[in-house]
Amino acid sequence: MTVVGVIGAGVMGVGVAQNLAQTGHEVILVDTSEAILAQALATIRNNCRFSRMMGGPAVDPDEVLAKISTGVGADALAKVDVVIENVPEDWTIKREVYQALDVACGPETVFVVNTSAIPITKVAAVTSRPANVIGVHFMNPVPAKPAVELIPGFHTSPETIQRTRDLLAAMGKHAIDVKDSCGFISNRLSHVFMNEAATLVYEGVATAEGVDEVFRSCFGHPMGPLETADLIGVDTVLYSIEVLHEHYADPKYRPCPLLKQMTEAGLHGRKSGRGFYDYTGSSK
């Protein structure tokens, strides 16, 4: 199997690393500190332990973790075949990461951009290998979601597309082709939805519980838009809607002030313990 580097050990990076290891790949998980990586491995162990309880397959945590090694900094990925990048949707951070990867990795290494909004051609332009750069928008939680958006950039080569399709198939993912358009399909729709849901709460039209109940009870959604925002991360939702607003200069993408306030207050959703809901000892 391909040796895959995963850079960024947050919610998405942890999910990608776990999915890869469960499907037999050797993984090198990279972030900026050993403390972050230790927490990521602990999260993967817990995710595997509770996989069956959450409706997934039985997973042996020791077998999964045996496939994952860790490293600090881009140099740890010097010999991988593919890098899947999962850093925040902040262009300054992404640009620095790709410039470092471009120096550290071999010329044949494929760079997979796990982004929900940033155009792939923009990312490819800061590397010396635009033909080797491709977007894959993984959905959260990664091991449980059967499909991804596959986004070639302007310069992405047919070989890179095929190599990525093969890797995704080996991970058990169905690739849905999308053109390189900021936000692609899922975020151009879902983030407007979550942003407007937050606006209803901000304006006092309804509580978060009321908004979500309408979409669960009336439309059959398994989760309401604000529960979904908490799962993704309120900060991540904000960053993505800001990218859409900047790129399209369309007022329909203007971020709700409540999302900004919650992000600044550290109310990021499930990962921080509080968001639109309180997860400290609650059933949510």
Side-chain angles (χ1 to χ4, degrees):
M1 286 290 185
T2 303
V3 179
V4 183
V6 177
I7 189 163
V11 172
M12 295 303 295
V14 161
V16 170
Q18 179 184 332
N19 195 152
L20 285 162
Q22 283 181 205
T23 50
H25 297 85
E26 298 291 335
V27 181
I28 303 175
L29 180 61
V30 168
D31 212 297
T32 56
S33 76
E34 294 290 354
I36 292 172
L37 292 165
Q39 181 58 52
L41 294 178
T43 299
I44 291 171
R45 179 174 290 280
N46 280 337
N47 289 348
C48 292
R49 286 177 57 216
F50 294 111
S51 174
R52 192 167 184 177
M53 186 183 301
M54 301 303 291
V59 179
D60 185 329
D62 292 329
E63 287 185 7
V64 170
L65 290 171
K67 294 282 188 182
I68 303 173
S69 60
T70 61
V72 174
D75 289 345
L77 302 177
K79 296 183 179 180
V80 300
D81 303 302
V82 177
V83 175
I84 302 177
E85 170 269 310
N86 310 272
V87 304
E89 299 286 61
D90 181 315
W91 175 239
T92 300
I93 296 172
K94 280 202 188 285
R95 182 177 61 227
E96 291 176 356
V97 165
Y98 279 96
Q99 289 169 339
L101 288 172
D102 205 33
V103 173
C105 298
E108 300 303 315
T109 302
V110 168
F111 292 166
V112 174
V113 189
N114 182 10
T115 178
S116 57
I118 295 175
I120 307 309
T121 303
K122 181 175 182 177
V123 175
V126 302
T127 77
S128 63
R129 63 187 82 199
N132 289 23
V133 179
I134 189 168
V136 175
H137 182 201
F138 290 90
M139 310 297 166
N140 185 35
V142 177
K145 299 295 185 178
V148 298
E149 292 177 304
L150 179 66
I151 313 106
F154 184 85
H155 297 288
T156 306
S157 70
E159 180 185 3
T160 296
I161 295 171
Q162 190 58 54
R163 286 176 66 184
T164 307
R165 283 190 187 281
D166 291 345
L167 176 61
L168 291 169
M171 293 175 69
K173 304 300 185 194
H174 167 59
I176 301 167
D177 295 332
V178 183
K179 289 186 177 180
D180 188 15
S181 172
C182 182
F184 319 122
I185 296 171
S186 60
N187 276 32
R188 284 188 66 176
L189 296 172
S190 66
H191 281 57
V192 172
F193 182 40
M194 289 183 283
N195 191 57
E196 191 63 21
T199 301
L200 290 171
V201 176
Y202 180 67
E203 293 177 350
V205 174
T207 63
E209 291 86 349
V211 171
D212 286 340
E213 181 63 21
V214 166
F215 283 90
R216 287 196 307 270
S217 297
C218 300
F219 297 103
H221 291 201
M223 296 180 70
L226 299 176
E227 291 174 303
T228 303
D230 274 358
L231 177 63
I232 295 170
V234 173
D235 55 332
T236 302
V237 173
L238 173 64
Y239 298 150
S240 295
I241 200 77
E242 285 178 333
V243 169
L244 289 164
H245 189 234
E246 178 184 1
H247 183 85
Y248 292 110
D250 189 325
K252 72 182 177 185
Y253 298 118
R254 185 173 58 245
C256 172
L258 181 58
L259 294 179
K260 293 184 177 182
Q261 185 180 52
M262 291 175 67
T263 297
E264 291 167 354
L267 305 180
H268 297 169
R270 287 180 179 267
K271 62 188 176 184
S272 69
R274 284 185 62 196
F276 287 98
Y277 297 91
D278 188 342
Y279 299 91
T280 57
S282 78
S283 61
K284 279 283 181 191

